[in-house]
Amino acid sequence: MNASQDSAVGERAAPRGRAGAARSAGAGRPESRVAMVRRARKINRVLADVFSYAHPELDFEDPYQLLVATVLSAQTTDLRVNQTTPRLFAAYPTPEDLAAADPAVVEEIIRPTGFFRAKTKSLIGLSAALRDEFGGEVPGRLEDLVRLPGVGRKTAHVVLGNAFGRPGITVDTHFQRLVRRWRWTEESEPEKIEAAVGEIFPKKEWTMLSHRVIFHGRRICHSRKPACGACPVAHLCPSYGEGETDPEKARKLLKYELGGQPGQRLKPPADYPGKPAPAAGP
């Protein structure tokens, strides 16, 4: 982490006593709906400041590439997808090309992403559907996208929000974990989480909210050991203390650009403060 990034996170991380006191004060009485919504919106504002450069962490140049990359991202890292898709898109630049591909060849290309047989079936199937039903173009409606093989609401919202500018909430594993830690909802099913969080924030915020929450989950609020002592929203978090609270130890848990390491994109946006990820080896 460089000095400016260290300051951006550190200045907003509450002292341990303050965060602990906030948690204890909230433990004695239920939080009202109004208070929860205010707290949730404060968290979003802080994250918007800390992660002003938040963005989709998949490399893509058009809606089709984003759709394919998002399908490939299931059960693997965005970095692994980004290292795999250049070869895939070079071989099959259009839906028509991929629809007519030899499955064995596609499987070999995408093998590094895992579950390559099922993913190959989905990619060839959705490409054929785009060719046959949508003139080779990715549709810009949720109801059309979720009809495509291998495409659910999460994938559809990623595509709609980032390729078409149509707001959507992306409920991935990071998003699910954080909204429950922050007690925005007690729901556990993605579609119900999506609906519950959608009631808290204006629709125009949904896509960027998703990016900020996911960035925070990947970099600070980890699943097994959250970096509570380096968290910019510690004073607003009812789950403070589940992770490392010592500031120095917590800073060592920060990942990607906050930890001084490359991000997940080989071609990150111009305002990304970290290093580009390395391309796949030979």
Side-chain angles (χ1 to χ4, degrees):
M1 188 192 315
N2 62 40
S4 61
Q5 292 165 344
D6 193 356
S7 176
V9 175
E11 288 178 1
R12 295 170 182 81
R16 283 176 287 176
R18 179 184 171 191
R23 187 183 182 199
S24 299
R29 60 183 184 277
E31 184 179 41
S32 71
R33 168 76 180 179
V34 171
M36 183 276 288
V37 170
R38 287 175 177 168
R39 180 171 58 82
R41 293 183 177 183
K42 286 180 182 178
I43 289 175
N44 183 42
R45 289 196 293 272
V46 173
L47 296 185
D49 190 19
V50 173
F51 298 117
S52 59
Y53 53 89
H55 59 273
E57 294 193 87
L58 292 167
D59 288 324
F60 69 98
E61 296 181 359
D62 55 46
Y64 177 62
Q65 289 191 1
L66 179 57
L67 176 61
V68 169
T70 307
V71 171
L72 286 175
S73 70
Q75 303 298 314
T76 191
T77 64
D78 286 356
L79 171 58
R80 182 65 67 188
V81 174
N82 292 336
Q83 291 174 328
T84 302
T85 50
R87 183 182 171 196
L88 180 69
F89 294 142
Y92 310 106
T94 69
E96 291 83 358
D97 294 322
L98 191 50
D102 180 345
V105 177
V106 177
E107 287 178 3
E108 186 59 30
I109 293 174
I110 70 169
R111 182 184 292 267
T113 69
F115 301 94
F116 56 90
R117 292 189 179 89
K119 290 179 180 179
T120 293
K121 183 177 180 181
S122 293
L123 293 183
I124 291 178
L126 72 83
S127 296
L130 293 178
R131 177 195 62 194
D132 298 340
E133 300 177 35
F134 299 102
E137 300 292 332
V138 176
R141 300 195 311 164
L142 178 67
E143 53 267 40
D144 292 329
L145 284 168
V146 296
R147 288 171 44 208
L148 300 173
V151 178
R153 292 180 67 88
K154 182 185 77 171
T155 295
H157 282 313
V158 170
V159 173
L160 290 172
N162 298 287
F164 292 96
R166 297 177 182 172
I169 295 173
T170 302
V171 184
D172 73 348
T173 55
H174 301 286
F175 196 94
Q176 291 184 55
R177 179 176 73 253
L178 268 62
V179 299
R180 288 174 62 82
R181 277 182 177 166
W182 290 331
R183 298 179 192 169
W184 292 358
T185 180
E186 294 183 356
E187 299 291 352
S188 57
E189 298 177 18
E191 195 164 341
K192 291 182 179 180
I193 292 173
E194 179 189 326
V197 175
E199 292 178 354
I200 299 173
F201 298 93
K203 190 172 183 178
K204 65 181 181 179
E205 286 285 319
W206 289 356
T207 298
M208 287 309 302
L209 170 72
S210 300
H211 289 320
R212 294 164 191 153
V213 173
I214 292 169
F215 258 57
H216 189 64
R218 286 176 170 170
R219 288 152 174 78
I220 299 176
C221 194
H222 314 306
S223 176
R224 295 184 180 178
K225 199 170 185 180
C228 294
C231 178
V233 295
H235 59 296
L236 298 167
C237 180
S239 298
Y240 174 84
E242 287 187 10
E244 180 58 66
T245 58
D246 180 85
E248 291 302 319
K249 293 180 180 178
R251 273 194 283 272
K252 294 179 181 179
L253 299 175
L254 300 177
K255 295 184 178 179
Y256 301 111
E257 75 283 351
L258 296 187
Q261 300 298 318
Q264 299 202 77
R265 293 189 67 166
L266 278 64
K267 299 177 181 179
D271 62 346
Y272 180 66
K275 305 171 185 176

